[in-house]
Amino acid sequence: MLGKTVSIATLVAITAATDVEKNRPVTKVINTLKDMLKQMEKEAEEDEAIFEKMACWCETNDREKTKSIADAEARIKSLTTFVEEATANSARLNTEIKNLEKEVTKNQDALDKATGIRQKELAEFNAEEKDMLQSISALKSAVTVLSKHNSFLQTPASHLQTVQLSLSRVMEQHEDLLKGVLTRSERKAALAFVQAPGFDSEPTFKQNYAPQSSEIFGILRQMKESFEANLAQSQKDESNAQKAYDELKAAKEEEIAAGQAQIDAKTDELANTDEKNAQAKQDIIDTKASLSADEEFLAMLKEKCAMTDGEWEQRQKTRALEMEACSKALAILSGEIGRASCRERV
């Protein structure tokens, strides 16, 4: 019981000493310093959390902007190459289109010229054919008339006059052609016949030309056959000429159509190339603007983040010094209280 009383007394004494100690000014300072240390530690943790977020933000944006800048530079380089190629292609297509247009025009002119010549030749042939058919018909009629009689003496004067007029007209119209048909003597005989006075005016004329009736008949038949052969050859030549023209026309129309198709295709390609070229040029302008903005932002970011790093480092140093000073002061004050307590117990 006595031991218990002593223990209680001792406890009361210690408690009283503690209360006294708590109420001392030094103790209050120590407690304040302890609170300050706790507060600085807490602030240090909070600052570190904020700094880590800031560092993460700086790193993320730096990485993204650096990549964005690299991508933009690569895109500008690619677009610039495309613009150069598109510009060259545009110039090439323009030249090719102009050359094709010249070729189409040349082919069209050639076709128009050939068509004009063919139309002229056809008109000349039709006129010559018509004239030749008329001459052949006249010669055929004359041969038919003379073939019905043995001589001019038996041939009615009106019939002889018809033959005379037909031969005169044929010789006049086809003078050049007859040069290669009649001999000199035949031509002379034919001219004498067509220049003779009317057969019905003086009967002696018939008698004078009676011996020549067979010769005139032969000349007429020879002329008819020659004209028929000449007409057949002319018709054959005309057919060949028409065939040649048709083949030329088909070839030229095919060339013109092919050239025009190429012009249309290259014109579409040119329009597409120019459109893409214009878009690429605009993309270069837009990409350069975006690149400039990214470079400006990255420069600002690096400056801001470097400043933040410096401020953080400075705060770390300052806080470390403050905490060190506080800890030293706390140690000193705590030592003083300990010595004071010892003296009081003594």
Side-chain angles (χ1 to χ4, degrees), residues 177-206:
L177 179 61
L178 290 173
K179 288 180 181 179
V181 175
L182 301 178
T183 64
R184 188 171 184 180
S185 60
E186 289 173 339
R187 182 178 177 79
K188 184 177 180 181
L191 286 173
F193 176 74
V194 299
Q195 292 174 358
F199 289 97
D200 56 349
S201 59
E202 296 184 26
T204 56
F205 288 154
K206 280 189 177 185

Side-chain angles (χ1 to χ4, degrees), residues 42-55 312:
K42 180 180 179 183
E43 289 176 356
E45 292 176 357
E46 292 175 350
D47 277 356
E48 186 173 359
I50 294 173
F51 176 76
E52 287 179 354
K53 290 182 180 180
M54 186 66 182
W312 164 253

Side-chain angles (χ1 to χ4, degrees), residues 69-265:
I69 289 171
D71 291 345
E73 290 174 342
R75 179 167 175 77
I76 289 172
K77 183 178 180 181
S78 175
L79 287 170
T80 300
T81 300
F82 176 83
V83 167
E84 292 173 353
E85 293 175 351
T87 300
N89 286 337
S90 180
R92 174 183 58 79
L93 287 168
N94 272 300
T95 300
E96 290 177 354
I97 289 171
K98 288 180 181 178
N99 290 336
L100 285 169
E101 288 174 342
K102 289 179 181 178
E103 190 66 23
V104 168
T105 300
K106 180 180 178 181
N107 286 328
Q108 186 63 56
D109 290 343
L111 178 58
D112 292 342
K113 183 178 180 180
T115 300
I117 293 173
R118 178 86 280 270
Q119 290 174 345
K120 182 180 179 181
E121 289 176 345
L122 181 60
E124 291 174 352
F125 167 78
N126 288 334
E128 291 175 359
E129 182 184 46
K130 180 180 178 181
D131 184 54
M132 188 63 70
L133 286 171
Q134 290 175 347
S135 296
I136 291 172
S137 178
L139 290 170
K140 187 180 292 186
S141 297
V143 169
T144 301
V145 168
L146 294 181
S147 65
K148 292 180 180 179
H149 307 281
N150 293 326
S151 69
F152 285 170
L153 294 174
Q154 299 175 354
T155 305
S158 60
H159 290 179
L160 288 175
Q161 286 179 339
T162 299
V163 172
Q164 187 184 38
L165 290 173
S166 297
L167 181 58
S168 176
R169 184 165 51 251
V170 169
M171 291 184 68
E172 182 179 353
Q173 290 178 345
H174 302 285
E175 182 179 358
D176 293 337
L177 179 61
L178 290 173
K179 288 180 181 179
V181 175
L182 301 178
T183 64
R184 188 171 184 180
S185 60
E186 289 173 339
R187 182 178 177 79
K188 184 177 180 181
L191 286 173
F193 176 74
V194 299
Q195 292 174 358
F199 289 97
D200 56 349
S201 59
E202 296 184 26
T204 56
F205 288 154
K206 280 189 177 185
Q207 295 175 359
N208 292 335
Y209 280 94
Q212 301 177 8
S213 60
S214 60
E215 184 179 7
I216 297 300
F217 178 79
I219 289 172
L220 290 171
R221 187 170 61 183
Q222 182 181 353
M223 290 173 61
K224 179 182 81 68
E225 292 173 352
S226 178
F227 281 14
E228 288 173 341
N230 184 271
L231 176 60
Q233 185 60 47
S234 295
Q235 290 173 334
K236 182 179 179 181
D237 292 343
E238 165 59 23
S239 177
N240 291 335
Q242 184 63 43
K243 181 180 178 181
Y245 168 74
D246 291 339
E247 292 175 351
L248 172 66
K249 181 182 179 182
K252 288 299 178 183
E253 286 179 344
E254 184 177 354
E255 290 176 359
I256 291 169
Q260 190 59 53
Q262 290 186 65
I263 289 173
D264 294 341

Side-chain angles (χ1 to χ4, degrees), residues 31-49:
N31 290 334
T32 300
L33 290 173
K34 289 180 178 180
D35 291 338
M36 288 176 63
L37 278 172
K38 290 180 181 180
Q39 183 63 30
M40 283 189 285
E41 290 173 353
K42 180 180 179 183
E43 289 176 356
E45 292 176 357
E46 292 175 350
D47 277 356
E48 186 173 359

Side-chain angles (χ1 to χ4, degrees), residues 294-314:
D294 285 345
E295 289 175 336
E296 184 178 350
F297 178 83
L298 183 59
M300 179 274 296
L301 177 70
K302 289 182 178 297
E303 182 181 357
K304 181 178 179 63
C305 291
M307 187 183 298
T308 301
D309 289 344
E311 292 175 352
W312 164 253
E313 185 178 352
Q314 186 60 43

